[in-house]
mmCIF file of all heavy atoms in Angstrom:
data_model
loop_
_atom_site.group_PDB
_atom_site.id
_atom_site.type_symbol
_atom_site.label_atom_id
_atom_site.label_comp_id
_atom_site.label_asym_id
_atom_site.label_seq_id
_atom_site.Cartn_x
_atom_site.Cartn_y
_atom_site.Cartn_z
ATOM 1 N N ASN A 9 79.934 141.639 122.936
ATOM 2 C CA ASN A 9 78.516 141.376 123.140
ATOM 3 C C ASN A 9 77.702 142.219 122.157
ATOM 4 O O ASN A 9 77.286 143.336 122.469
ATOM 5 C CB ASN A 9 78.150 141.728 124.593
ATOM 6 C CG ASN A 9 76.779 141.234 124.951
ATOM 7 O OD1 ASN A 9 75.920 141.057 124.078
ATOM 8 N ND2 ASN A 9 76.568 140.986 126.224
ATOM 9 N N PRO A 10 77.478 141.667 120.946
ATOM 10 C CA PRO A 10 76.825 142.458 119.895
ATOM 11 C C PRO A 10 75.444 142.973 120.294
ATOM 12 O O PRO A 10 75.052 144.075 119.904
ATOM 13 C CB PRO A 10 76.706 141.492 118.707
ATOM 14 C CG PRO A 10 77.601 140.346 119.034
ATOM 15 C CD PRO A 10 77.776 140.302 120.516
ATOM 16 N N ASP A 11 74.712 142.204 121.125
ATOM 17 C CA ASP A 11 73.347 142.618 121.473
ATOM 18 C C ASP A 11 73.303 143.916 122.267
ATOM 19 O O ASP A 11 72.426 144.741 122.083
ATOM 20 C CB ASP A 11 72.643 141.522 122.295
ATOM 21 C CG ASP A 11 72.325 140.325 121.436
ATOM 22 O OD1 ASP A 11 72.356 140.504 120.205
ATOM 23 O OD2 ASP A 11 72.097 139.237 121.986
ATOM 24 N N GLN A 12 74.263 144.046 123.180
ATOM 25 C CA GLN A 12 74.197 145.271 123.996
ATOM 26 C C GLN A 12 75.141 146.369 123.498
ATOM 27 O O GLN A 12 75.146 147.479 124.028
ATOM 28 C CB GLN A 12 74.397 144.989 125.473
ATOM 29 C CG GLN A 12 75.729 144.452 125.887
ATOM 30 C CD GLN A 12 75.726 144.211 127.403
ATOM 31 O OE1 GLN A 12 74.694 144.228 128.048
ATOM 32 N NE2 GLN A 12 76.903 143.991 127.955
ATOM 33 N N ALA A 13 75.921 146.073 122.451
ATOM 34 C CA ALA A 13 76.897 147.054 121.964
ATOM 35 C C ALA A 13 76.227 148.354 121.505
ATOM 36 O O ALA A 13 76.620 149.449 121.923
ATOM 37 C CB ALA A 13 77.729 146.451 120.839
ATOM 38 N N GLN A 14 75.223 148.222 120.665
ATOM 39 C CA GLN A 14 74.599 149.416 120.075
ATOM 40 C C GLN A 14 73.969 150.345 121.126
ATOM 41 O O GLN A 14 74.305 151.528 121.176
ATOM 42 C CB GLN A 14 73.549 148.960 119.043
ATOM 43 C CG GLN A 14 73.038 150.053 118.135
ATOM 44 C CD GLN A 14 74.116 150.541 117.171
ATOM 45 O OE1 GLN A 14 75.043 149.789 116.876
ATOM 46 N NE2 GLN A 14 74.034 151.780 116.727
ATOM 47 N N PRO A 15 73.058 149.808 121.980
ATOM 48 C CA PRO A 15 72.464 150.716 122.975
ATOM 49 C C PRO A 15 73.475 151.268 123.976
ATOM 50 O O PRO A 15 73.379 152.429 124.383
ATOM 51 C CB PRO A 15 71.425 149.843 123.694
ATOM 52 C CG PRO A 15 71.681 148.447 123.282
ATOM 53 C CD PRO A 15 72.439 148.471 122.000
ATOM 54 N N PHE A 16 74.449 150.467 124.345
ATOM 55 C CA PHE A 16 75.455 150.929 125.310
ATOM 56 C C PHE A 16 76.300 152.054 124.692
ATOM 57 O O PHE A 16 76.519 153.094 125.299
ATOM 58 C CB PHE A 16 76.339 149.744 125.726
ATOM 59 C CG PHE A 16 77.351 150.051 126.783
ATOM 60 C CD1 PHE A 16 77.036 150.851 127.874
ATOM 61 C CD2 PHE A 16 78.639 149.543 126.699
ATOM 62 C CE1 PHE A 16 77.984 151.141 128.865
ATOM 63 C CE2 PHE A 16 79.591 149.815 127.676
ATOM 64 C CZ PHE A 16 79.257 150.619 128.751
ATOM 65 N N LEU A 17 76.746 151.834 123.464
ATOM 66 C CA LEU A 17 77.546 152.856 122.773
ATOM 67 C C LEU A 17 76.752 154.160 122.646
ATOM 68 O O LEU A 17 77.271 155.243 122.913
ATOM 69 C CB LEU A 17 77.956 152.338 121.381
ATOM 70 C CG LEU A 17 78.670 153.338 120.472
ATOM 71 C CD1 LEU A 17 80.004 153.770 121.075
ATOM 72 C CD2 LEU A 17 78.915 152.733 119.081
ATOM 73 N N LYS A 18 75.483 154.023 122.275
ATOM 74 C CA LYS A 18 74.648 155.221 122.105
ATOM 75 C C LYS A 18 74.518 155.982 123.434
ATOM 76 O O LYS A 18 74.654 157.195 123.490
ATOM 77 C CB LYS A 18 73.267 154.827 121.565
ATOM 78 C CG LYS A 18 72.414 156.040 121.236
ATOM 79 C CD LYS A 18 71.078 155.647 120.659
ATOM 80 C CE LYS A 18 70.194 156.839 120.334
ATOM 81 N NZ LYS A 18 70.235 157.972 121.190
ATOM 82 N N GLU A 19 74.288 155.224 124.501
ATOM 83 C CA GLU A 19 74.118 155.864 125.808
ATOM 84 C C GLU A 19 75.392 156.611 126.229
ATOM 85 O O GLU A 19 75.343 157.751 126.671
ATOM 86 C CB GLU A 19 73.749 154.803 126.861
ATOM 87 C CG GLU A 19 73.468 155.443 128.221
ATOM 88 C CD GLU A 19 73.013 154.440 129.275
ATOM 89 O OE1 GLU A 19 72.934 153.233 128.979
ATOM 90 O OE2 GLU A 19 72.753 154.900 130.413
ATOM 91 N N VAL A 20 76.552 155.949 126.051
ATOM 92 C CA VAL A 20 77.809 156.593 126.457
ATOM 93 C C VAL A 20 78.094 157.816 125.574
ATOM 94 O O VAL A 20 78.529 158.861 126.062
ATOM 95 C CB VAL A 20 78.984 155.573 126.422
ATOM 96 C CG1 VAL A 20 80.303 156.258 126.754
ATOM 97 C CG2 VAL A 20 78.732 154.431 127.398
ATOM 98 N N MET A 21 77.807 157.700 124.278
ATOM 99 C CA MET A 21 78.034 158.840 123.384
ATOM 100 C C MET A 21 77.112 160.012 123.740
ATOM 101 O O MET A 21 77.550 161.156 123.814
ATOM 102 C CB MET A 21 77.841 158.414 121.922
ATOM 103 C CG MET A 21 79.060 157.669 121.420
ATOM 104 S SD MET A 21 79.041 157.055 119.716
ATOM 105 C CE MET A 21 78.322 158.272 118.757
ATOM 106 N N ASP A 22 75.853 159.711 123.981
ATOM 107 C CA ASP A 22 74.891 160.769 124.321
ATOM 108 C C ASP A 22 75.285 161.460 125.623
ATOM 109 O O ASP A 22 75.272 162.677 125.733
ATOM 110 C CB ASP A 22 73.476 160.197 124.494
ATOM 111 C CG ASP A 22 72.850 159.839 123.160
ATOM 112 O OD1 ASP A 22 73.445 160.179 122.132
ATOM 113 O OD2 ASP A 22 71.769 159.203 123.161
ATOM 114 N N ARG A 23 75.615 160.649 126.620
ATOM 115 C CA ARG A 23 75.872 161.224 127.943
ATOM 116 C C ARG A 23 77.221 161.927 128.030
ATOM 117 O O ARG A 23 77.380 162.888 128.773
ATOM 118 C CB ARG A 23 75.765 160.137 129.019
ATOM 119 C CG ARG A 23 74.314 159.682 129.184
ATOM 120 C CD ARG A 23 74.162 158.629 130.236
ATOM 121 N NE ARG A 23 74.466 159.136 131.570
ATOM 122 C CZ ARG A 23 74.146 158.516 132.689
ATOM 123 N NH1 ARG A 23 73.500 157.368 132.629
ATOM 124 N NH2 ARG A 23 74.465 159.026 133.855
ATOM 125 N N SER A 24 78.217 161.427 127.303
ATOM 126 C CA SER A 24 79.554 162.046 127.404
ATOM 127 C C SER A 24 79.750 163.151 126.376
ATOM 128 O O SER A 24 80.646 163.984 126.514
ATOM 129 C CB SER A 24 80.645 160.988 127.196
ATOM 130 O OG SER A 24 80.618 160.504 125.869
ATOM 131 N N GLN A 26 80.832 162.592 123.453
ATOM 132 C CA GLN A 26 82.030 162.219 122.678
ATOM 133 C C GLN A 26 81.673 161.224 121.576
ATOM 134 O O GLN A 26 80.885 160.301 121.812
ATOM 135 C CB GLN A 26 83.099 161.597 123.598
ATOM 136 C CG GLN A 26 83.509 162.481 124.745
ATOM 137 C CD GLN A 26 83.986 163.851 124.268
ATOM 138 O OE1 GLN A 26 84.961 163.947 123.531
ATOM 139 N NE2 GLN A 26 83.296 164.892 124.695
ATOM 140 N N LEU A 28 82.582 158.338 120.103
ATOM 141 C CA LEU A 28 83.449 157.160 120.263
ATOM 142 C C LEU A 28 83.619 156.383 118.970
ATOM 143 O O LEU A 28 84.635 155.731 118.751
ATOM 144 C CB LEU A 28 82.888 156.218 121.331
ATOM 145 C CG LEU A 28 83.165 156.588 122.790
ATOM 146 C CD1 LEU A 28 82.326 157.751 123.243
ATOM 147 C CD2 LEU A 28 82.904 155.396 123.694
ATOM 148 N N MET A 58 86.051 148.674 124.368
ATOM 149 C CA MET A 58 85.125 147.881 125.191
ATOM 150 C C MET A 58 83.699 148.406 125.062
ATOM 151 O O MET A 58 82.751 147.630 124.987
ATOM 152 C CB MET A 58 85.533 147.951 126.660
ATOM 153 C CG MET A 58 86.638 146.980 126.976
ATOM 154 S SD MET A 58 87.065 147.038 128.702
ATOM 155 C CE MET A 58 88.222 145.678 128.739
ATOM 156 N N VAL A 59 83.592 149.722 125.052
ATOM 157 C CA VAL A 59 82.245 150.306 124.924
ATOM 158 C C VAL A 59 81.680 149.962 123.544
ATOM 159 O O VAL A 59 80.540 149.496 123.411
ATOM 160 C CB VAL A 59 82.284 151.844 125.121
ATOM 161 C CG1 VAL A 59 80.904 152.449 124.867
ATOM 162 C CG2 VAL A 59 82.769 152.202 126.525
ATOM 163 N N VAL A 60 82.508 150.148 122.508
ATOM 164 C CA VAL A 60 82.054 149.913 121.125
ATOM 165 C C VAL A 60 81.621 148.458 120.932
ATOM 166 O O VAL A 60 80.641 148.174 120.250
ATOM 167 C CB VAL A 60 83.172 150.302 120.123
ATOM 168 C CG1 VAL A 60 82.832 149.853 118.712
ATOM 169 C CG2 VAL A 60 83.423 151.811 120.160
ATOM 170 N N LEU A 61 82.331 147.531 121.594
ATOM 171 C CA LEU A 61 82.027 146.107 121.395
ATOM 172 C C LEU A 61 81.042 145.557 122.439
ATOM 173 O O LEU A 61 80.766 144.367 122.477
ATOM 174 C CB LEU A 61 83.325 145.286 121.414
ATOM 175 C CG LEU A 61 84.285 145.586 120.249
ATOM 176 C CD1 LEU A 61 85.565 144.791 120.399
ATOM 177 C CD2 LEU A 61 83.640 145.284 118.903
ATOM 178 N N GLY A 62 80.552 146.430 123.303
ATOM 179 C CA GLY A 62 79.477 146.015 124.222
ATOM 180 C C GLY A 62 79.921 145.272 125.466
ATOM 181 O O GLY A 62 79.113 144.578 126.092
ATOM 182 N N ASP A 63 81.190 145.422 125.875
ATOM 183 C CA ASP A 63 81.637 144.776 127.117
ATOM 184 C C ASP A 63 81.279 145.698 128.296
ATOM 185 O O ASP A 63 82.137 146.306 128.938
ATOM 186 C CB ASP A 63 83.144 144.522 127.065
ATOM 187 C CG ASP A 63 83.602 143.602 128.199
ATOM 188 O OD1 ASP A 63 82.799 143.349 129.115
ATOM 189 O OD2 ASP A 63 84.758 143.144 128.149
ATOM 190 N N ARG A 64 79.996 145.782 128.523
ATOM 191 C CA ARG A 64 79.464 146.741 129.487
ATOM 192 C C ARG A 64 80.035 146.554 130.899
ATOM 193 O O ARG A 64 80.448 147.513 131.548
ATOM 194 C CB ARG A 64 77.940 146.599 129.510
ATOM 195 C CG ARG A 64 77.247 147.604 130.373
ATOM 196 C CD ARG A 64 75.757 147.328 130.446
ATOM 197 N NE ARG A 64 75.171 148.287 131.358
ATOM 198 C CZ ARG A 64 74.583 149.410 130.987
ATOM 199 N NH1 ARG A 64 74.481 149.694 129.723
ATOM 200 N NH2 ARG A 64 74.103 150.246 131.874
ATOM 201 N N ALA A 67 83.636 147.730 131.114
ATOM 202 C CA ALA A 67 83.770 149.149 130.772
ATOM 203 C C ALA A 67 83.298 150.045 131.922
ATOM 204 O O ALA A 67 83.815 151.128 132.143
ATOM 205 C CB ALA A 67 82.981 149.468 129.507
ATOM 206 N N LEU A 68 82.311 149.549 132.678
ATOM 207 C CA LEU A 68 81.765 150.366 133.766
ATOM 208 C C LEU A 68 82.634 150.363 135.019
ATOM 209 O O LEU A 68 82.548 151.272 135.830
ATOM 210 C CB LEU A 68 80.365 149.875 134.156
ATOM 211 C CG LEU A 68 79.216 150.202 133.219
ATOM 212 C CD1 LEU A 68 77.926 149.654 133.781
ATOM 213 C CD2 LEU A 68 79.080 151.699 132.996
ATOM 214 N N THR A 98 81.533 159.748 132.671
ATOM 215 C CA THR A 98 80.207 159.192 132.343
ATOM 216 C C THR A 98 80.080 157.758 132.854
ATOM 217 O O THR A 98 79.081 157.389 133.484
ATOM 218 C CB THR A 98 80.006 159.201 130.805
ATOM 219 O OG1 THR A 98 80.057 160.551 130.361
ATOM 220 C CG2 THR A 98 78.689 158.583 130.396
ATOM 221 N N LEU A 99 81.111 156.944 132.597
ATOM 222 C CA LEU A 99 81.054 155.539 133.014
ATOM 223 C C LEU A 99 81.012 155.422 134.539
ATOM 224 O O LEU A 99 80.330 154.559 135.097
ATOM 225 C CB LEU A 99 82.245 154.769 132.428
ATOM 226 C CG LEU A 99 82.220 154.636 130.886
ATOM 227 C CD1 LEU A 99 83.562 154.116 130.375
ATOM 228 C CD2 LEU A 99 81.100 153.707 130.429
ATOM 229 N N MET A 102 77.532 156.109 135.591
ATOM 230 C CA MET A 102 76.657 154.976 135.268
ATOM 231 C C MET A 102 76.903 153.826 136.243
ATOM 232 O O MET A 102 75.956 153.164 136.690
ATOM 233 C CB MET A 102 76.910 154.517 133.817
ATOM 234 C CG MET A 102 76.374 155.512 132.801
ATOM 235 S SD MET A 102 76.943 155.188 131.100
ATOM 236 C CE MET A 102 76.032 153.724 130.686
ATOM 237 N N GLU A 106 74.162 152.247 138.948
ATOM 238 C CA GLU A 106 73.812 150.816 138.977
ATOM 239 C C GLU A 106 74.271 150.133 140.265
ATOM 240 O O GLU A 106 74.187 148.922 140.399
ATOM 241 C CB GLU A 106 74.416 150.121 137.759
ATOM 242 C CG GLU A 106 73.754 150.594 136.484
ATOM 243 C CD GLU A 106 74.201 149.854 135.234
ATOM 244 O OE1 GLU A 106 74.762 148.756 135.353
ATOM 245 O OE2 GLU A 106 73.970 150.412 134.155
ATOM 246 N N ARG A 201 67.666 163.540 131.727
ATOM 247 C CA ARG A 201 68.104 163.043 130.415
ATOM 248 C C ARG A 201 68.662 161.643 130.531
ATOM 249 O O ARG A 201 68.440 160.793 129.674
ATOM 250 C CB ARG A 201 69.186 163.963 129.835
ATOM 251 C CG ARG A 201 68.599 165.134 129.083
ATOM 252 C CD ARG A 201 69.662 165.904 128.352
ATOM 253 N NE ARG A 201 70.327 165.084 127.348
ATOM 254 C CZ ARG A 201 71.333 165.523 126.608
ATOM 255 N NH1 ARG A 201 71.776 166.734 126.764
ATOM 256 N NH2 ARG A 201 71.891 164.746 125.724
ATOM 257 N N ALA A 202 69.390 161.403 131.611
ATOM 258 C CA ALA A 202 70.025 160.085 131.779
ATOM 259 C C ALA A 202 69.012 158.980 132.013
ATOM 260 O O ALA A 202 69.255 157.829 131.690
ATOM 261 C CB ALA A 202 70.995 160.148 132.956
ATOM 262 N N HIS A 204 65.966 158.901 130.672
ATOM 263 C CA HIS A 204 65.029 158.729 129.532
ATOM 264 C C HIS A 204 65.691 158.036 128.366
ATOM 265 O O HIS A 204 66.858 158.001 128.238
ATOM 266 C CB HIS A 204 64.475 160.092 129.108
ATOM 267 C CG HIS A 204 63.488 160.627 130.121
ATOM 268 N ND1 HIS A 204 63.720 161.750 130.863
ATOM 269 C CD2 HIS A 204 62.301 160.131 130.533
ATOM 270 C CE1 HIS A 204 62.695 161.955 131.690
ATOM 271 N NE2 HIS A 204 61.833 160.994 131.509
#
Side-chain angles (χ1 to χ4, degrees):
N9 191 335
D11 289 343
Q12 64 181 13
Q14 193 68 25
F16 184 41
L17 174 63
K18 186 178 179 324
E19 184 176 1
V20 176
M21 282 179 41
D22 286 352
R23 290 181 66 165
S24 67
Q26 303 305 299
L28 280 74
M58 278 182 174
V59 175
V60 170
L61 295 177
D63 192 349
R64 185 185 177 97
L68 285 181
T98 298
L99 293 169
M102 288 168 72
E106 292 186 18
R201 274 189 62 183
H204 288 114

